[in-house]
């Protein structure tokens, strides 16, 4: 009888671990598309680069950038200097960089 309780606890813990892992697994292709869209579209992006955990982008018109939506996507911060935005992405910056590079090559 006691082993059934342990088995139930183990099954519950496995289900919880699976749910947590699934919730942290982002679709970076969708994230890249949203980010470019929130930056005013690919036509608004003049240049960009990634520096560790930051995405640095120069835009033509900063007034059409939806900074609030970028924050809601999980950006840890945004610094605006003239037409340059430094967006602090965090630990997922490298994967996002690959997806944005792919997205921008197609445009």
């Amino acid at each position: 009888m006691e082993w059934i309780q342990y088995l139930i606890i183990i099954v519950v813990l496995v289900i919880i671990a699976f749910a947590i892992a699934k919730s942290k697994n982002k679709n970076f292709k969708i994230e890249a598309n949203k980010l470019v869209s929130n930056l005013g579209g690919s036509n608004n992006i003049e240049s960009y680069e990634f520096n560790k955990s930051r995405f640095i982008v120069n835009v033509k018109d900063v007034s059409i950038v939806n900074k609030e939506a970028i924050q809601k996507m999980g950006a840890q911060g945004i610094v605006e200097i003239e037409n340059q935005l430094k967006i602090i992405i965090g630990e997922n910056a490298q994967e996002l960089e690959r997806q944005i590079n792919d997205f921008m090559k197609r445009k």
Side-chain angles (χ1 to χ4, degrees):
M1 186 66 157
E2 191 174 300
W3 64 274
I4 292 176
Q5 292 173 340
Y6 288 120
L7 182 63
I8 291 171
I9 291 171
I10 290 171
V11 169
V12 169
L13 290 175
V14 167
I15 291 171
I16 291 171
F18 180 73
I20 290 171
K22 188 164 178 80
S23 72
K24 289 185 177 184
N25 186 14
K26 292 185 177 182
N27 186 338
F28 288 101
K29 195 172 278 191
I30 293 171
E31 295 291 315
N33 291 341
K34 284 183 188 176
L35 182 56
V36 170
S37 176
N38 289 330
L39 288 167
S42 59
N43 292 332
N44 194 41
I45 298 173
E46 291 183 326
S47 64
Y48 66 93
E49 67 178 282
F50 282 83
N51 185 349
K52 297 184 183 179
S53 65
R54 292 185 308 259
F55 176 48
I56 302 166
V57 60
N58 293 304
V59 294
K60 294 176 186 172
D61 184 1
V62 76
S63 68
I64 63 174
V65 173
N66 189 343
K67 289 176 261 181
E68 185 176 313
I70 294 170
Q71 286 282 120
K72 286 182 180 178
M73 287 179 62
Q76 297 170 2
I78 301 174
V79 177
E80 179 183 337
I81 303 171
E82 296 179 9
N83 282 5
Q84 184 183 74
L85 297 171
K86 294 181 181 182
I87 303 169
I88 302 167
I89 302 292
E91 64 187 40
N92 298 320
Q94 289 180 338
E95 180 60 32
L96 194 59
E97 176 181 16
R98 282 191 284 276
Q99 294 300 326
I100 287 180
N101 286 337
D102 289 346
F103 181 83
M104 295 301 283
K105 286 177 188 174
R106 288 182 272 147
K107 294 294 172 178

